[in-house]
Every structure is written in C-alpha cells, then in structure tokens.
Amino acid sequence: MSLVRSLGYAEARARVLEAIRPLPPVQVPFTAAVGRALRQAVVAPHELPPFRNSAMDGYAVRAADLASASDASPATLTVVEVLPAGRPSQRTLGPGQAARIMTGAMLPAGADTVVPFEDCERSGTGPGERCIVRRPSPLAEHVRDAGADVREGTIVFEPGRELSPHDLAVIAALGFANLEVSPIPKVAVLSTGDELLDVDQPLRAGAIRDSNRPMLAQLVTAAGGSVHIEQRLPDDTGGVAHAIREALETCDIVLTIGGVSAGDHDPVKGAATTLPDVELWRVAMRPGRPQAFGTPLGRLFFGLPGNPASVACVFEVLVRPGIRALLGHTQLDRPRVPVRVAVPVESRAGRTDFVRATLAWREGELWASAAGAQLSGHLSPQSQAHALLVVPEAAERLAAGERAEALVLRLPER
Ligand code: AMP
Ligand code: MG
C-alpha cells in the first residue's frame, strides 16, 4: 500500500467521515455528561414547571374579586392560609378570600392570579389578616403555568447534542439521573523526529523542542479524547511501526506527527505501508498536504504532517471532525461564520487554503487578516489566530472586502 493517493480536501474529509462509526454509548451520572455528545433522545416525562405556581411573593386571589377595585372602593380580602414554596394548599379559595403565597408555591385551587406584596396593603397578621387591593388584576398575572417552559412528551434534546451546563439544569429538573453519552476515546499521540527535544532539554545545534505533541495532546483532550499514550520517537521506521502497532492495541485513535512526506528519513511513511487499511495521502490543502489515514485493526489512524501549522490545521479540519463523529456529535466543525476579507489572500485553484487569521469587529462584521506570514514552520500565526479563513478549492484568491467563511477558534474582543 505504498501508493500515494492525491485527493481534494472535500474528498479527504468525506473519506474520513465515511470510515467512522460512532463508538457505542456509555451510561454516566448526568453530572458527568457536560461537554459530551448525548446519545439518546431526552423526552420530557412531565411538564416544566410541573404545577401552576406563583412567580412573586404576594397574595393568590380570584381576579373576579378585584374587578371593580379602585382607590375609592378597594377590595378587602380575607387571608385564609399561608403557602410557602413546597407546601401545597389543602383547600379551594372561595369568593372574597386570598392566600399569602411565596414565589414557587403551588397556586391553590380557585385562585387565578397573584397580587404582589408591593401592589397591595396588608392589614393585621395571623388568622385576622386582610389584604387590601386598590385596582383590578388581569387573569394569571405573576402565575407560571404548568408546562409553560417544557411540555410533557417534548423531545427536549436530540441525540448528538453537546451538552452544556445549562442543558444539565433541564435534565436535572426532568429527573434524569443517568444519561447515555459518548464514551471518552483513548488516544495515542506519537511525535517523530531525531531533531526533537523535550521541553526541559537545553537546545543543541540542529535540534528543536517538540512543540506539536503537547499542542496536539491538548487539542485532543479539548475535543473529548483522553490521551493514554504520549511518546516522542526517533526517525526509525521499524521503531515507529512497532509503536503504532502497540498503540493500536489499546487506543481508539492513534495520531502520529511528522515523517509522512518525501524526506529520506520519514518513518511514518514507511511504517504506514506495513499497516493494514492505511493510505498515504497528498491532500490538495495548505497547510497539511502529506498525510496518512486509515482504520487499521478497526481503530482510527491519522498520520499528520510535521510542520506546526499543518498539525494545527489538519487537526481542525480533519482530525477533530473525525473525533467528534466517533463520539456521535452532530456538530463536527468549529462554528463556520461569514467574514469579510481585510487583506487580500493569494491561493491557487484546485487547492483549499486554511489561513490562520486574526479577526476584528468593524461595523458589526468580522474582518479577517492573515496572522503573519503563512509559513507552515511558524508557530506564532496559529497562536495569534482567531480563526481559519477558508479559501475554497475553486478560488485563486480572496480579494479585499470579499465575503468568505472562517472556522472560528475564538472570538476577538469587541
Ligand atoms: P517532517 O514532516 O517530519 O519532515 O517535519 C516537517 C517539519 O516539522 C520539520 O521542520 C520538523 O522539524 C518539524 N517538526 C516535526 N515534528 C515536530 C514536532 N513534534 N514539534 C515541532 N516541530 C516538528
Ligand atoms: Mg521528521
């Protein structure tokens, strides 16, 4: 399988996504579900709120009793009970009667509206308490109806949703103590290169510190994976092949960095040819052209190029969508937003460019500018970038002022 396949970005993406079947879901306590893909539908087993209740501290009354209330002839109601939140009324409110009611308490039968304390006068306390109201109240004022928020039987969340802390509140209110969600896949991140040093090693002639591996490990973690193996490997094809095979035994996803292009000592290229169901790719994208991809032994394998910009971009536009598909997310990409091009960008027809770009707000629109020279060996452009500006395959350039799309990593301050 030493053939190198040339393909466009769209085809590469389609091949990655076609190769992926979502991992079987797992059941977790609902608090562990935040940030993960929901893998079941959440159908409301009851209404929210579950019962009609007061939105204010005040008096639950019958609106009809206040119909002709005015300064000249106030309505004076007899307070027959006090209703704190959590204690339902045992009686039905009769004509001329009111119940002192607190926010969240169930409305008594017979009551149809609430007069807040600040809109009436209290006379006396305890059994002799009266409430004096000087104007009419519309029906159901300051009343929260059962089901006004969520109706019983509604599909509240569809499978594939990334659950937020706010979703968790809905889930808690509906009584789902456990949920089916995506599992956390085990990931191996293997960097290759005789020139690479660990972060705490002093530089020596010809050597650089391994900067891709920590970045990629963090990106994987942020995308919902758990990094089980992290290794830095010398440029030795046999050793790299061995490390990949070992990682495939325990990990759902194996990522390699570097050694996949046309160099004399590119070990992943050689190792890939010994793996079943792995192809070498030349993807018409910049950065990130040389890659390897496949599903050896039913796992997911991405051979990423070595240049830092390539690692960052290939991760965003192929690996991350792949990881999210494996987890069962419906939203695979970073938010795709319309932007205006602030500074012209040159590309080439037949190639998709992902330009590390900064964004700035101008009159309500986001304007994108390349974050420094787009050299794939540089680290700072991806560090400065708010987004990847997409130059589509058919376009040779993006002109100043042109409308385009960007994959947003973070938004600039306004
Ligand atoms: P390669 O594809 O292995 O030839 O790598 C391409 C370029 O990326 C070379 O300049 C490498 O030194 C650099 N590179 C490869 N891996 C890493 C890494 N893990 N961290 C930083 N730079 C790397
Ligand atoms: Mg290398």
Side-chain angles (χ1 to χ4, degrees):
M1 240 179 285
S2 55
L3 232 96
V4 180
R5 181 188 290 275
S6 292
L7 63 184
Y9 166 65
E11 190 191 345
R13 179 189 169 92
R15 280 178 177 266
V16 167
L17 296 182
E18 277 160 20
I20 293 171
R21 302 280 162 277
L23 293 170
V26 292
Q27 229 196 33
V28 297
F30 80 107
T31 48
V34 171
R36 291 163 83 166
L38 182 66
R39 296 289 293 276
Q40 63 172 87
V42 170
V43 180
H46 56 70
E47 318 243 67
L48 285 183
F51 51 87
R52 196 174 60 143
N53 68 90
S54 179
M56 296 286 280
D57 297 325
Y59 293 97
V61 302
R62 303 162 68 102
D65 287 346
L66 310 180
S68 55
S70 67
D71 280 331
S73 118
T76 301
L77 306 174
T78 308
V79 179
V80 294
E81 65 180 337
V82 179
L83 299 173
R87 195 197 303 159
S89 170
Q90 301 300 327
R91 55 186 299 160
T92 298
L93 215 62
Q97 295 184 333
R100 223 178 138 73
I101 192 164
M102 306 307 136
T103 305
M106 190 170 176
L107 244 70
D112 53 23
T113 195
V114 170
V115 179
F117 286 145
E118 47 269 43
D119 294 347
C120 60
E121 278 163 48
R122 180 183 196 179
S123 151
T125 51
E129 182 172 348
R130 301 271 186 284
C131 123
I132 300 154
V133 190
R134 296 174 185 279
R135 52 183 170 77
S137 167
L139 276 177
E141 199 162 48
H142 308 302
V143 171
R144 302 159 171 166
D145 268 322
D149 188 2
V150 176
R151 302 304 312 230
E152 180 181 339
T154 309
I155 300 173
V156 186
F157 301 126
E158 303 265 6
R161 180 186 180 90
E162 180 172 327
L163 291 168
S164 72
H166 305 104
D167 295 343
L168 220 59
V170 178
I171 281 161
L174 291 173
F176 289 85
N178 297 292
L179 288 174
E180 300 256 303
V181 297
S182 53
I184 297 176
K186 294 183 187 154
V187 185
V189 179
L190 312 174
S191 58
T192 66
D194 286 342
E195 76 280 28
L196 299 178
L197 303 168
D198 282 333
V199 66
D200 53 0
Q201 288 181 290
L203 287 179
R204 55 174 162 75
I208 57 169
R209 297 197 183 90
D210 184 344
S211 58
N212 284 330
R213 185 163 48 95
M215 172 185 70
L216 191 57
Q218 290 302 314
L219 287 168
V220 162
T221 306
S226 164
V227 178
H228 268 241
I229 299 175
E230 245 198 276
Q231 274 173 17
R232 184 164 60 69
L233 305 165
D235 282 325
D236 164 56
T237 301
V240 168
H242 179 75
I244 294 173
R245 281 183 180 275
E246 222 171 47
L248 287 169
E249 279 173 25
T250 54
C251 291
D252 303 291
I253 305 169
V254 176
L255 307 177
T256 59
I257 301 165
V260 76
S261 54
D264 289 346
H265 305 278
D266 278 345
V268 174
K269 197 173 170 189
T273 62
T274 72
L275 295 169
D277 306 313
V278 171
E279 285 184 339
L280 292 167
W281 283 0
R282 209 172 284 140
V283 184
M285 62 182 275
R286 194 167 84 166
R289 194 162 85 118
Q291 298 180 36
F293 173 75
T295 51
L297 314 174
R299 314 294 201 176
L300 211 48
F301 175 78
F302 290 90
L304 285 84
N307 277 308
S310 309
V311 177
C313 287
V314 171
F315 179 82
E316 289 302 332
V317 303
L318 290 171
V319 180
R320 187 174 177 277
I323 293 177
R324 288 180 67 89
L326 191 70
L327 297 182
H329 283 279
T330 43
Q331 194 184 331
L332 302 182
D333 290 304
R334 303 273 192 182
R336 276 182 172 269
V337 303
V339 298
R340 305 288 297 276
V341 177
V343 182
V345 178
E346 295 298 321
S347 174
R348 184 157 59 63
R351 184 182 77 200
T352 306
D353 282 35
F354 298 98
V355 180
R356 281 80 70 217
T358 56
L359 299 176
W361 289 101
R362 229 191 287 159
E363 285 162 9
E365 290 187 294
L366 283 167
W367 289 75
S369 313
Q374 298 291 303
L375 298 173
S376 56
H378 287 192
L379 302 167
S380 35
Q382 18 317 345
S383 161
Q384 286 163 19
H386 296 110
L388 301 181
L389 173 65
V390 184
V391 188
E393 196 172 282
E396 287 181 25
R397 69 183 58 79
L398 294 178
E402 201 169 325
R403 290 178 196 281
E405 261 194 340
L407 294 162
V408 173
L409 308 170
R410 62 192 74 85
L411 280 172
E413 280 182 33
R414 257 204 132 97

